[in-house]
Amino acid sequence: MLGDVTQTTETPAPTREPAGPRRTPRVHRAWFVAAVTFVTIIGAAAFASLPGLLIEPLHGEFHWSRGTIGFAVSVNLALYGLTAPFAAALMDRFGIRRVVAAALSVIAAGSLLTVWMTAAWQLVVYWGVLVGLGSGSMALAFAATVTNRWFTARRGLVTGILTAAGASGQLIFLPLLSWLVERHGWRPAAVTVALAALAVVPFVWLLLRDHPADVGLAPYGGEYAEKPAPVTGAARRAVTVLFRAARTGPFWLLAGTFAICGASTNGLVKTHFVPAAHDHGMPVTAAAGLLAVIGVFDVVGTVASGWFTDRFEARRLLAVYYALRGVSLLFLPMLLAPAVHPPMLFFIVFYGLDWVATVPPTIALCREHYGEDSAIVFGWVLASHQVGAAAVAFAGGVARDVFGSYDVVWYASGALCAAAALMALVIRRGAASTPAVKPA
């Protein structure tokens, strides 16, 4: 193996000979890059933890309707998704470090500006547009790009770990932010989000590397390859990849299932669980604590899902995940109460294990069907995820204003998950499926 690598690099780059021993280190550099990515996503998760905590305070201070606040959140979620495919292309053009560092700075600016807002349109611009654009560039396409470049083996496991980073950030920040909102108001919480985003920028700039060839290494489990030249026309490439993928059936099935995934997670539970529980008399800190516990089990479930994705057929895993999620959501309206009781804890554990377990098999299916374009295709699939989330974030607020409760939204989301399970089973196997997901 080492002889093969030496033969590959000897003629074009003899100056890299000192790097040869680093190609079989005790701990491959790819794992350090994955660790920096994990920490970055954790820091960026602060802004994703806040919207559900803002609904009641903003409604109380400014007397904005829940539908209006939900609209701002929906703009945030939609832009988060629609920016993702362009961010993946921009990473190919300008590098991961530059794009992610700029995105974190935009997030910090948007979060800080909300402190001085006085009108609903400002919430839409600052939190909806600026934080939405920044977070879209820090979307799961970031994790997919890092995984595709730095790993050939263990891609499913690494995808699961990086996806779980968002849940880990939720676990860290939700209790803190809910305590700040309840004790000191929502403004200190917004400042905390901005500072958390800025604190991650030095880690990204100093420790993250764009490609294994930057340090003379082969990807983990693969063979050495020269770093490709920067790809120009990032926006054009993102749109071209979309048009090409849109002519295939798997793309629409993946986009449809992932839209339902977003509707039943970010749009529904992350945005409306805390105010829904508060409607039943549960303190905000207790409800936020339950969301944080979801984050604990989400880490376990997502890492396990990555491990399963390396070993089992991805579409069948998706069908199981969506079916189980749908069942859990149908029971939730009966479990909401002023106090936390064992059936609610069971729901939290069960739902948490399934929260983003859908991501590793969805990325694997994108890789199977779309090869080198898979990160950009997944960016577009993620856009559908966030459009679904945006629709339910807005619809949930309107439903609460109209019906006085969230029950109809819980039931509708459960039914949608059942439809997603059926859609997942229809996805055909890709021609590249065997090598793409085969474990080392």
Side-chain angles (χ1 to χ4, degrees):
M1 177 80 177
L2 182 60
D4 293 341
V5 174
T6 305
Q7 185 177 2
T8 303
T9 60
E10 183 178 20
T11 300
T15 57
R16 283 202 180 99
E17 285 182 0
R22 289 186 292 155
R23 291 175 194 166
T24 53
R26 205 177 335 180
V27 180
H28 195 284
R29 177 68 177 266
W31 294 109
F32 292 103
V33 172
V36 173
T37 304
F38 186 89
V39 172
T40 302
I41 296 174
I42 284 179
F47 59 81
S49 303
L50 192 56
L53 303 177
L54 291 179
I55 293 178
E56 292 300 324
L58 294 179
H59 175 70
E61 179 174 338
F62 297 107
H63 306 292
W64 298 335
S65 72
R66 292 174 178 83
T68 298
I69 300 168
F71 175 72
V73 176
S74 72
V75 171
N76 175 292
L77 294 173
L79 287 177
Y80 176 101
L82 294 172
T83 305
F86 296 98
L90 286 172
M91 288 178 188
D92 287 342
R93 174 65 179 90
F94 298 106
I96 298 173
R97 288 194 301 171
R98 292 180 181 177
V99 173
V100 174
L104 289 168
S105 301
V106 171
I107 290 166
S111 185
L112 275 177
L113 286 172
T114 59
V115 172
W116 294 283
M117 69 182 177
T118 56
W121 67 266
Q122 294 170 327
L123 177 66
V124 174
V125 172
Y126 300 154
W127 196 266
V129 176
L130 291 180
V131 177
L133 289 173
S135 60
S137 301
M138 280 289 302
L140 290 172
F142 172 39
T145 301
V146 169
T147 303
N148 288 347
R149 291 186 183 182
W150 281 90
F151 291 86
T152 299
R154 308 301 181 208
R155 281 177 168 173
L157 177 62
V158 174
T159 300
I161 292 172
L162 295 183
T163 303
S168 300
Q170 176 177 300
L171 169 64
I172 293 169
F173 287 106
L174 259 176
L176 171 63
L177 294 177
S178 64
W179 179 82
L180 284 172
V181 168
E182 188 165 273
R183 296 291 183 89
H184 303 286
W186 61 270
R187 287 179 177 83
V191 172
T192 300
V193 168
L195 293 177
L198 288 176
V200 179
V201 174
F203 290 95
V204 171
W205 196 255
L206 296 175
L207 301 178
L208 197 62
R209 291 295 179 268
D210 292 332
H211 195 278
D214 288 341
V215 288
L217 294 175
Y220 178 80
E223 298 195 10
Y224 179 83
E226 291 289 342
K227 181 178 179 179
V231 180
T232 59
R236 182 171 60 252
R237 183 186 175 206
V239 174
T240 300
V241 169
L242 170 63
F243 286 155
R244 187 184 305 131
R247 293 196 291 267
T248 66
F251 173 79
W252 292 106
L253 290 169
L254 287 167
T257 55
F258 223 41
I260 294 172
C261 178
S264 56
T265 54
N266 291 4
L268 182 62
V269 174
K270 183 170 282 188
T271 303
H272 294 294
F273 177 80
V274 171
H278 189 61
D279 283 347
H280 288 76
M282 185 179 294
V284 171
T285 50
L290 289 176
L291 272 185
V293 174
I294 285 178
V296 175
F297 289 95
D298 178 26
V299 174
V300 177
T302 307
V303 173
S305 178
W307 187 86
F308 289 142
T309 302
D310 283 332
R311 289 158 177 80
F312 300 103
E313 193 175 347
R315 65 192 186 97
R316 297 187 183 276
L317 289 175
L318 282 181
V320 171
Y321 296 157
Y322 285 122
L324 293 177
R325 182 184 299 175
V327 171
S328 67
L329 288 173
L330 292 175
F331 280 96
L332 181 57
M334 296 177 280
L335 303 178
L336 292 170
V340 179
H341 45 80
M344 173 58 81
L345 290 176
F346 179 79
F347 166 82
I348 293 297
V349 172
F350 189 87
Y351 183 86
L353 290 171
D354 197 290
W355 177 271
V356 287
T358 55
V359 173
T362 299
I363 290 178
L365 286 168
C366 288
R367 192 180 298 124
E368 289 177 12
H369 288 277
Y370 305 106
E372 293 299 320
D373 290 332
S374 62
I376 297 177
V377 172
F378 177 70
W380 285 112
V381 171
L382 179 62
S384 72
H385 179 283
Q386 296 306 113
V387 169
V392 172
F394 176 63
V398 172
R400 173 61 177 80
D401 289 333
V402 173
F403 300 110
S405 90
Y406 289 98
D407 288 359
V408 65
V409 189
W410 303 123
Y411 294 135
S413 295
L416 284 174
C417 288
L422 295 176
M423 292 167 64
L425 291 175
V426 177
I427 301 172
R428 62 178 173 80
R429 290 179 61 85
S433 60
T434 301
V437 299
K438 184 177 180 182

